[in-house]
Amino acid sequence: GKGLHCVSYEDIRYDGRSQKEVKQELVQKSSEADENQKSTNRNLSLFQTYMNRVKDIDTWLGLETGPQELTTTVDDTGTVRMRYDGEMTRTPEGIPVQHGHATVRLASGIIFEGLYDTGAPQGKGLIVFPSGNEWHGNFDRGRLHGEGVYTWSPPKGWPSTTPYRKKYVGWLEDGRIESQKKFSTFMLNKDMYEGEWRDGVAHGTGTFLWEDGRSYQGEWEDGHVKGNGKLTRVDGTILKGYFEPCSAKWYLPMRVPASFWPGQISEAELVKVDREAGPARDRAR
């Protein structure tokens, strides 16, 4: 059916119909034009105009279209599992490859919009999962890796009239919330944590801000306040020192329920396109 096909030629992006389709249309129109209408003055006839346009297409347009295996992935049953609409280029050996701006749709419902580099998402992009969750940030060989924003959609049954905010802003390591020595921010409605992460929970140095005005700045371990830090109470009083998780009444204001932490992003595995590459830290940057 009708659609959009994008190709690239020397850094020029062209959005339009395929070369073959337009040429056939122009040739058909030219055959219908009366050659006797060829003008004897400076104005081009309808026939000459059409034929010049055909010539322009032949001269200007680069790669007409990519091989079907690069634009569509079909399983054994004939079901389309992936559709790639975007730019392509050729390797030094002349092999066509997905490269440039693209929109990719998977049968699972995942949609990707962003940059491809020799066959894989690379650099800035946006991916939306069937759940409604989305990552707007950096990709490395198809993996969610680098700086970006991961936003969760409201859970099932959440009142439509009640605002919902669950967002992670910062660093992902191969699709995992790991942010050692890099401060990343997580917000769940009106509570917020900014600091270091390990395995989807606070670990290292960070600051937690509660909705009621309390705050803690200091050391964390596996999602719990543990180590040197400073607690500021609602009334403005400050408690400094070394904190150890316990059941004492004074420690209760610093407790953060396990349900607050996001854990890991399960969908990240679904967008890996280069399973042979190994962890990001082992790949050339």
Side-chain angles (χ1 to χ4, degrees):
K2 293 183 179 179
L4 176 68
H5 180 69
C6 307
V7 300
S8 63
Y9 181 66
E10 294 182 354
D11 297 326
I12 297 174
R13 179 170 178 174
Y14 169 78
D15 298 338
R17 293 180 296 168
S18 69
Q19 175 183 7
K20 183 177 180 181
E21 178 186 357
V22 177
K23 285 179 62 177
Q24 288 178 338
E25 178 182 321
L26 295 177
V27 171
Q28 176 65 27
K29 287 183 177 181
S30 67
S31 65
E32 296 171 357
D34 184 1
E35 291 196 51
N36 294 328
Q37 292 180 356
K38 290 183 180 180
S39 176
T40 57
N41 57 31
R42 293 183 179 181
N43 297 324
L44 291 176
S45 69
L46 182 63
F47 176 83
Q48 290 171 319
T49 301
Y50 285 146
M51 294 314 296
N52 283 344
R53 288 181 62 191
V54 172
K55 181 179 179 181
D56 288 343
I57 291 174
D58 279 334
T59 303
W60 181 85
L61 192 58
L63 184 62
E64 176 184 337
T65 184
Q68 184 175 354
E69 62 267 21
L70 293 184
T71 59
T72 308
T73 300
V74 182
D75 62 18
D76 295 337
T77 66
T79 303
V80 176
R81 310 304 303 175
M82 185 274 287
R83 172 70 188 180
Y84 176 93
D85 294 297
E87 297 174 300
M88 298 189 189
T89 189
R90 292 183 181 273
T91 66
E93 296 76 23
I95 301 173
V97 63
Q98 300 160 337
H99 188 87
H101 294 274
T103 298
V104 179
R105 299 171 177 84
L106 304 183
S108 61
I110 290 176
I111 299 176
F112 169 83
E113 294 181 0
L115 295 173
Y116 259 62
D117 185 352
T118 57
Q122 186 77 19
K124 300 299 181 183
L126 167 68
I127 188 166
V128 181
F129 298 99
S131 63
N133 300 346
E134 63 181 49
W135 166 254
H136 196 171
N138 199 66
F139 290 77
D140 183 24
R141 301 305 300 168
R143 294 166 167 85
L144 283 62
H145 182 80
E147 296 284 350
V149 178
Y150 192 95
T151 305
W152 285 262
S153 62
K156 187 176 181 180
W158 187 267
S160 58
T161 56
T162 304
Y164 181 79
R165 183 179 72 165
K166 185 177 181 180
K167 181 181 295 186
Y168 176 84
V169 182
W171 183 269
L172 288 185
E173 182 76 21
D174 266 349
R176 296 178 59 81
I177 298 179
E178 304 280 349
S179 187
Q180 293 293 297
K181 298 183 180 180
K182 300 182 182 71
F183 275 34
S184 298
T185 303
F186 175 69
M187 295 160 277
L188 180 58
N189 295 322
K190 295 184 179 181
D191 293 334
M192 181 176 72
Y193 168 79
E194 180 181 43
E196 295 180 289
W197 294 78
R198 187 178 74 179
D199 198 22
V201 299
H203 189 89
T205 302
T207 300
F208 198 103
L209 303 176
W210 283 268
E211 178 182 356
D212 61 10
R214 288 172 294 138
S215 67
Y216 169 80
Q217 182 178 7
E219 297 177 324
W220 295 76
E221 183 177 301
D222 296 328
H224 303 287
V225 172
K226 184 178 181 180
N228 294 306
K230 179 179 73 172
L231 172 67
T232 303
R233 297 190 174 105
V234 177
D235 60 8
T237 58
I238 296 175
L239 184 63
K240 294 182 180 180
Y242 183 87
F243 298 91
E244 185 82 21
C246 63
S247 58
K249 185 177 181 179
W250 62 266
Y251 184 82
L252 292 179
M254 292 183 289
R255 286 186 177 275
V256 179
S259 59
F260 172 84
W261 306 113
Q264 293 303 345
I265 302 170
S266 60
E267 294 101 330
E269 288 293 325
L270 300 179
V271 296
K272 290 184 177 179
V273 298
D274 187 1
R275 298 181 182 275
E276 305 298 325
R281 60 180 175 271
D282 297 333
R283 300 198 297 276
R285 308 311 306 158

